């Protein structure tokens, strides 16, 4: 079946450093790629998303890049802060039956130390 | 607007029992998706409802079912519970479907003993 691979599974950085998380998807028809942040004991929250007709999108310290040819997309966080510590999930849309669904990567635990 | 709510927040059941979980989406959102979250498998798609119709279903056994009401509130039911059904069940609402911004509820933590 369709899947999304996410790397690395854990990432430790110093405050102020950059963090990069990479995902690869298998369905060439995928056209929507969101990123979610989940803090311990809390619900996943959408932090940024990108559609297949765009190569890059930025929102303050967060950016996402998409390479449709290679079928991979990445999350970039600059000037990391301790409050960025969380689990980050990437996802890709796939078509199923009459609708669409999101297939999620297994997550990356980001730890930012001060 | 009020966020997505789920009830109950915690549930303990015994193998063989059945359970019903509820999700109230953001007002105006017609799409509700359900996910199972476990440490080993991550977030897995269960099914999606839009305007009371199930549009698609993930790779889960028929013991997992759901429905959506005319006010967009959704329920999911799991029958004949197994130990492996222990998980956090999350619902997410969206105006149009999973191909657009989705907002998650806090989840229902189900423990099967």
């Amino acid at each position: 079946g369709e899947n999304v691979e996410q790397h690395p599974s854990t990432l430790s950085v110093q405050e102020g450093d950059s963090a990069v998380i990479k995902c690869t998807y298998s369905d060439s028809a995928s056209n929507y790629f969101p990123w979610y942040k989940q803090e311990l004991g809390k619900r996943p929250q959408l932090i940024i998303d990108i559609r297949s007709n765009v190569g890059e999108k930025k929102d303050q310290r967060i950016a996402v890049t998409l390479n449709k040819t290679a079928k991979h997309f990445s999350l970039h966080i600059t000037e990391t802060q301790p409050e960025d510590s969380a689990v980050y999930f990437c996802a890709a849309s796939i078509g199923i039956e009459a609708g669409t669904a999101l297939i999620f990567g297994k997550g990356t635990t980001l730890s930012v130390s001060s | 607007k009020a966020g997505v709510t789920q009830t109950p927040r915690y549930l303990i059941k015994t193998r063989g029992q059945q359970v019903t979980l509820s999700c109230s989406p953001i007002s105006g959102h017609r799409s509700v998706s359900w996910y199972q979250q476990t440490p080993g498998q991550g977030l897995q798609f269960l099914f999606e409802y839009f305007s009371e119709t199930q549009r698609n279903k993930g790779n889960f056994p028929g013991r997992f079912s759901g429905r959506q009401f005319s006010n967009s509130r959704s329920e999911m039911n799991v029958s004949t519970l197994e130990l492996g059904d222990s998980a956090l069940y999350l619902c997410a609402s969206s105006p149009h479907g999973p191909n657009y911004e989705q907002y998650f509820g806090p989840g229902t933590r189900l423990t099967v003993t």
Side-chain angles (χ1 to χ4, degrees):
Chain A
E2 307 301 345
N3 72 308
V4 174
E5 293 191 3
Q6 183 172 347
H7 299 281
S9 57
T10 60
L11 182 58
S12 296
V13 300
Q14 291 286 321
E15 183 177 2
D17 287 350
S18 294
V20 180
I21 303 170
K22 298 182 179 181
C23 290
T24 303
Y25 60 98
S26 59
D27 187 357
S28 57
S30 295
N31 59 14
Y32 177 63
F33 308 90
W35 286 87
Y36 285 86
K37 174 185 179 181
Q38 187 174 28
E39 296 176 62
L40 190 62
K42 297 194 174 180
R43 69 188 77 188
Q45 287 193 298
L46 179 69
I47 55 171
I48 196 167
D49 57 9
I50 192 168
R51 296 199 176 274
S52 58
N53 58 346
V54 176
E56 183 176 6
K57 185 177 179 180
K58 289 183 181 179
D59 183 3
Q60 299 182 348
R61 296 186 296 110
I62 294 173
V64 56
T65 58
L66 172 65
N67 183 327
K68 283 217 72 179
T69 303
K71 291 193 283 187
H72 66 70
F73 56 114
S74 301
L75 177 71
H76 304 253
I77 305 174
T78 59
E79 301 173 22
T80 54
Q81 301 166 3
E83 50 266 39
D84 293 330
S85 297
V87 180
Y88 291 81
F89 294 95
C90 63
S93 64
I94 62 168
I96 300 180
E97 300 170 19
T100 59
L102 289 180
I103 301 300
F104 284 83
K106 292 287 176 68
T108 295
T109 301
L110 174 63
S111 299
V112 181
S113 54
S114 55
Chain B
K1 281 185 179 178
V4 181
T5 59
Q6 290 186 245
T7 57
R9 294 293 311 278
Y10 302 92
L11 207 49
I12 299 175
K13 290 286 188 179
T14 304
R15 271 182 305 175
Q17 290 185 314
Q18 74 166 18
V19 66
T20 299
L21 313 181
S22 180
C23 172
S24 292
I26 292 171
S27 177
H29 286 192
R30 297 161 67 187
S31 168
V32 174
S33 297
W34 287 89
Y35 298 88
Q36 181 193 66
Q37 186 174 28
T38 59
Q41 296 300 317
L43 277 156
Q44 292 187 286
F45 172 76
L46 280 156
F47 31 65
E48 186 237 350
Y49 285 86
F50 185 87
S51 293
E52 301 180 68
T53 300
Q54 184 183 87
R55 291 202 288 195
N56 46 33
K57 184 178 167 87
N59 190 25
F60 278 82
R63 300 185 296 107
F64 292 82
S65 62
R67 58 178 176 169
Q68 187 179 34
F69 302 94
S70 59
N71 62 357
S72 293
R73 188 178 70 85
S74 178
E75 291 181 346
M76 70 164 279
N77 184 78
V78 188
S79 62
T80 319
L81 284 166
E82 301 177 359
L83 295 178
D85 296 333
S86 294
L88 180 67
Y89 290 89
L90 293 158
C91 73
S93 82
S94 169
H96 307 295
N99 217 28
Y100 297 84
E101 287 190 22
Q102 285 193 104
Y103 299 88
F104 280 88
T108 294
R109 173 73 62 185
L110 172 65
T111 302
V112 182
T113 62

